[in-house]
Amino acid sequence: MSTQPDPTTGRSRWEQRFAAAQSKGQVRDADFTTLSGMEVEPAYGPTDGEAPERIGWPGEFPYTRGLYPTGYRGRTWTIRQFAGFGNAVQTNQRYKMILERGGGGLSVAFDMPTLMGRDSDDALSLGEVGHCGVAIDSAADMDLLFSDIPLQDVTTSMTISGPAVPAFCMYLVAAERQGADISKLNGTLQTDIFKEYIAQKEWLFAPEPHLRLIGDLMEFTTANIPAYKPLSVSGYHIREAGSTAAQELAFTLADGFGYVELGLSRGLDVDAFAPGLSFFFDSHLDFFEEIAKFRAARRIWARWMRDVYGAKSEKSMWLRFHTQTAGVSLTAQQPMNNVVRTAVEALAAVLGGTNSLHTNALDETLALPTDQSAEVALRTQQVLMEETGVVNVADPLGGSWYVEALTDKIEAEAEKIFDKILQLGGSDLSSADHAGLAAKVRSSVGQGGDGDWPITAGILRGIEDGWFMSEIAEAAFQYQTALEKGDKKVVGVNVHTHSLANELEILRVSHEVERDQVRELGARRKARSQADVDAALRTMTEVARGEGNLIPPMLEAVRAEATLGEICDALRDVWGVYREPARF
């Protein structure tokens, strides 16, 4: 009788995949023992037979336990600190500090005028330039932002949605001017307009023109920059607006499904564009709930991509996500406590299998981070990575009765929300009826952009009716009520309020930043060829009135030093502006 393990068992499959990764040099040469020198296995699970299918093994569908059989032994998460303030030169210095101290990638925070598609000298920008992020008016600013930082060698994330496409064009032009091979660029653009209508409220146009731009971007990057991720679907801002964990998960994944339907409506192959979709989640303070949320997210996405949208490629089923610790959990009272909060939230993200991570600074509830607080936030990740042993074992909490039950519960709550979104779109299908949904999607593919896309229809109706906003408002109200009654506790706010701490030194952005930025912008306008700018903007608006892809003409406008505001205003002239209906 053979004593060899059954090759069909989960453990054997995982062992084979881990060994294959090891033979390809995909396991780091590092010390994977405990602090006391004890050897630990790369992953743990049942000794014999299969793990339950809903759990599986690391690197195995439905990826509950992570995307890779090696876990963080293969590659640790990317330390991607979000930064931006003042002008491009000041932020460039912060980026160099982050990279020099061990940051693995860059994440750009833009100021409010930039996020709203306004130039720094626009009357609506007064008093806001450089305050919540960096001011970017034209490609020349993008040149300065990445000066001496080779874009071909650094992955760059940009958190911007309304004017994401012109910002992306400025990034491309800056890379061109560095001599980079554009096809080799790697990074992420947020671009997620659905969450703006749902939570953050930074849009330029009505949903349909924004979806047109996103579809153009997906086509362009799929054809020309295969490693670049044109869409980071963001749940972070939904959670920061007051949603529950299950709402964050469901609204975000529904938005992701909507963008999959957008790609299919353009005639794109799901396995060509889906690997370019990524996600951005909040990591809040309920430690186990957050871990369960991340695990459920991978599982739901994998199943829907395979069963509903027909993905065949493993990478199309992978939910890759960036995490930021919860800004809303930070307190102005006793701000030193925020270091502890951030560390706990970061650990939850890591145990949940995040692919990259930003840790908030202790003073961000008061102002933009100082150099010192930004370094402490960076070091928080490095302590977790280098000292705690969390990189040694893939999904170390997998199989925990509590974690698995909580993962199942959050998944079930998300499925109920999907059902409501489907109902809003006029569908009588259930989220559990993957076969029925897949048939609906197939019939819509045949109709192109005019198809009946089940999730997209529900999202657009939910935005129009204010349903998403009301659901988040109710969740936020319930939490605030519990906080004020003392049922929920926040140290330094409604419990343990006495403190010996002194006031913090905070970063203040000088009014001179706005003055200098406006002066520099005026000088650029005088130095450029206005005829070239006008011609490029005219060509771009002609394409906007038709059906062509807007990326090439927008790139020409950016190369001529057209400003962000000029590009967005030209499109506003074509598409108008969107104002949210008043609701009482």
Side-chain angles (χ1 to χ4, degrees):
M1 180 174 170
S2 172
T3 59
Q4 293 298 315
D6 180 353
T8 64
T9 65
R11 174 174 289 278
S12 295
R13 290 196 307 271
W14 169 78
E15 288 173 346
Q16 290 166 11
R17 286 193 301 272
F18 186 87
Q22 211 163 21
S23 68
K24 295 175 184 175
Q26 294 173 350
V27 176
R28 294 179 297 116
D29 182 14
D31 175 19
F32 296 118
T33 64
T34 70
L35 193 64
S36 305
M38 185 184 302
E39 295 283 346
V40 293
E41 296 296 324
Y44 288 84
T47 303
D48 299 307
E50 293 279 2
E53 192 267 341
R54 293 171 68 79
I55 301 173
W57 284 78
E60 170 177 279
F61 184 91
Y63 310 108
T64 312
R65 302 197 62 191
L67 303 181
Y68 310 107
T70 55
Y72 292 132
R73 287 198 183 194
R75 180 180 176 182
T76 57
W77 68 91
T78 300
I79 297 176
R80 191 181 300 282
Q81 290 298 98
F82 188 47
F85 66 96
N87 59 36
V89 172
Q90 292 170 310
T91 300
N92 174 263
Q93 293 168 351
R94 176 66 62 84
Y95 288 163
K96 288 174 179 173
M97 182 271 282
I98 290 170
L99 293 172
E100 287 166 1
R101 286 163 173 73
L106 300 176
S107 184
V108 183
F110 296 95
D111 70 358
M112 187 56 69
T114 306
L115 292 171
M116 300 304 297
R118 304 284 176 182
D119 288 334
S120 294
D121 59 358
D122 190 303
L124 294 175
S125 301
L126 183 64
E128 295 291 340
V129 176
H131 280 275
C132 69
V134 62
I136 298 293
D137 289 311
S138 74
D141 284 318
M142 207 68 87
D143 293 338
L144 295 171
L145 186 67
F146 297 113
S147 177
D148 300 319
I149 300 172
L151 289 173
Q152 189 172 317
D153 301 330
V154 176
T155 61
T156 302
S157 170
M158 294 191 287
T159 301
I160 187 168
S161 294
V165 176
F168 167 78
C169 290
M170 292 177 184
Y171 162 81
L172 283 192
V173 169
E176 287 176 351
R177 291 171 178 174
Q178 289 185 357
D181 180 348
I182 299 303
S183 68
K184 301 289 175 55
L185 292 178
N186 195 344
T188 304
L189 190 66
Q190 188 166 99
T191 328
D192 177 8
I193 205 62
F194 283 144
K195 64 89 177 174
E196 297 297 342
Y197 301 106
I198 290 172
Q200 200 173 22
K201 312 301 183 183
E202 292 169 3
W203 58 71
L204 307 187
F205 320 112
E208 289 77 8
H210 274 299
L211 292 175
R212 152 91 182 270
L213 281 169
I214 294 170
D216 288 351
L217 180 66
M218 291 169 70
E219 287 182 351
F220 183 87
T221 54
T222 299
N224 300 290
I225 318 177
Y228 194 83
K229 299 163 189 65
L231 253 169
S232 174
V233 189
S234 177
Y236 185 84
H237 307 89
I238 293 169
R239 190 67 179 280
E240 293 286 292
S243 78
T244 65
Q247 287 173 333
E248 177 196 0
L249 175 61
F251 293 172
T252 307
L253 293 188
D255 289 351
F257 300 147
Y259 295 125
V260 171
E261 293 175 356
L262 174 63
L264 293 172
S265 77
R266 291 296 188 101
L268 296 174
D269 178 354
V270 68
D271 288 319
F273 73 81
L277 302 179
S278 64
F279 290 80
F280 173 23
F281 288 113
D282 198 302
S283 188
H284 218 301
L285 265 170
D286 192 309
F287 186 71
F288 291 104
E289 183 175 60
E290 296 303 293
I291 294 167
K293 178 186 75 181
F294 298 133
R295 300 171 86 250
R298 277 192 298 269
R299 187 157 78 201
I300 294 169
W301 182 256
R303 290 198 170 127
W304 276 66
M305 290 304 294
R306 184 191 69 178
D307 299 340
V308 176
Y309 297 112
K312 301 290 191 296
S313 162
E314 186 176 55
K315 289 185 178 180
S316 299
M317 303 175 207
W318 284 355
L319 184 141
R320 285 169 287 199
F321 67 97
H322 171 75
T323 309
Q324 181 172 340
T325 56
V328 75
S329 73
L330 305 179
T331 64
Q333 302 93 325
Q334 301 180 20
M336 295 303 291
N337 297 343
N338 294 334
V339 178
V340 180
R341 294 185 177 104
T342 295
V344 170
E345 292 161 356
L347 182 57
V350 169
L351 292 176
T354 191
N355 301 102
S356 65
L357 179 62
H358 164 86
T359 32
N360 290 327
L362 66 98
D363 50 0
E364 286 191 60
T365 190
L366 301 167
L368 293 165
T370 63
D371 283 348
Q372 182 178 23
S373 66
E375 184 177 81
V376 171
L378 173 66
R379 295 292 187 236
T380 300
Q381 293 203 48
Q382 290 167 330
V383 168
L384 288 177
M385 187 180 290
E386 306 292 352
E387 298 185 31
T388 63
V390 293
V391 298
N392 291 352
V393 177
D395 189 34
L397 295 180
S400 155
W401 290 339
Y402 177 41
V403 169
E404 298 302 349
L406 198 52
T407 302
D408 290 347
K409 188 169 185 177
I410 289 178
E411 181 180 20
E413 289 296 313
E415 295 286 353
K416 290 178 186 176
I417 295 171
F418 296 150
D419 284 340
K420 179 62 178 178
I421 293 171
L422 287 166
Q423 291 167 16
L424 286 170
S427 175
D428 58 359
L429 294 168
S430 160
S431 63
D433 183 9
H434 285 185
L437 287 167
K440 175 74 78 173
V441 167
R442 284 194 299 273
S443 68
S444 296
V445 170
Q447 301 172 52
D450 298 325
D452 180 13
W453 302 99
I455 290 290
T456 302
I459 293 170
L460 292 175
R461 181 62 185 271
I463 290 168
E464 182 182 344
D465 291 354
W467 178 77
F468 291 104
M469 188 170 64
S470 65
E471 291 292 295
I472 293 171
E474 178 62 25
F477 174 75
Q478 289 181 8
Y479 174 75
Q480 185 63 29
T481 300
L483 191 67
E484 292 177 10
K485 289 170 62 179
D487 295 338
K488 299 293 184 185
K489 294 180 170 53
V490 177
V491 173
V493 176
N494 66 353
V495 66
H496 309 302
T497 55
H498 297 291
S499 174
L500 301 175
N502 297 319
E503 285 192 16
L504 291 175
E505 291 284 335
I506 62 173
L507 176 67
R508 300 185 188 278
V509 176
S510 168
H511 70 280
E512 294 177 358
V513 166
E514 182 168 324
R515 185 195 64 194
D516 294 346
Q517 185 74 13
V518 169
R519 184 177 62 242
E520 177 62 27
L521 179 56
R524 286 181 203 158
R525 285 202 177 103
K526 289 179 181 178
R528 71 189 184 180
S529 167
Q530 190 62 42
D532 289 349
V533 171
D534 292 342
L537 291 175
R538 200 160 44 243
T539 299
M540 184 189 74
T541 55
E542 288 170 1
V543 175
R545 290 188 179 95
E547 296 182 353
N549 191 300
L550 272 161
I551 307 300
M554 195 177 290
L555 277 169
E556 288 305 313
V558 168
R559 291 182 183 115
E561 282 298 320
T563 67
L564 181 70
E566 289 167 342
I567 292 170
C568 294
D569 283 344
L571 294 175
R572 288 183 183 104
D573 288 342
V574 177
W575 293 330
V577 296
Y578 176 78
R579 301 197 186 282
E580 189 173 40
R583 296 184 181 90
F584 301 95

